[in-house]
Amino acid sequence: QVQLVESGGGLVQAGGSLRLSCAASGSILSIHNMGWYRQAPGKQRELVAMVTSGNNTNYADSVKERFTISRDNAKNAVYLQMNSLKPEDTAVYYCAAHLRELHRNTNSLFWGQGTQVTVSS
């Protein structure tokens, strides 16, 4: 069974920084895209940033120039460095990975359990 475990959330003042980490484990053959999503209270889940297996990245307009996504393929891990945090960045952040499990013929999308990020003004 595949698991994604996130860490690094917390409470920070506006203008501060946090680094989120996510590690995938289990019966994984290969990982394609990895990304971070977030969901604020009363809002839909939205894409924050994504990185492909070829290290191409994509960011939501609201986080460009402030957030940086990276991955470590040897560790099946993805990271999100968040700088210049704003109160509107407050949300539960979810890690996601599009991957191929061992003994499967199709790719599947897996989610982490979420980590709370709270930015105070």
Side-chain angles (χ1 to χ4, degrees), residues 33-104:
N33 298 341
M34 301 187 82
W36 291 95
Y37 290 73
R38 68 186 180 186
Q39 187 166 19
K43 295 189 176 182
Q44 289 190 331
R45 190 173 298 190
E46 63 175 358
L47 174 67
V48 176
M50 180 170 290
V51 56
T52 69
S53 56
N55 265 325
N56 294 311
T57 58
N58 183 38
Y59 295 92
D61 288 343
S62 59
V63 307
K64 282 180 181 176
E65 308 301 328
R66 300 189 298 123
F67 291 10
T68 302
I69 190 169
S70 61
R71 64 189 283 173
D72 184 335
N73 292 329
K75 297 181 179 180
N76 287 341
V78 63
Y79 309 97
L80 186 68
Q81 178 65 43
M82 305 185 292
N83 298 329
S84 303
L85 282 160
K86 305 175 181 180
E88 50 263 43
D89 293 318
T90 295
V92 178
Y93 283 69
Y94 296 91
C95 169
H98 191 224
L99 58 86
R100 177 72 60 91
E101 295 177 85
L102 292 170
H103 311 304
R104 298 269 189 175

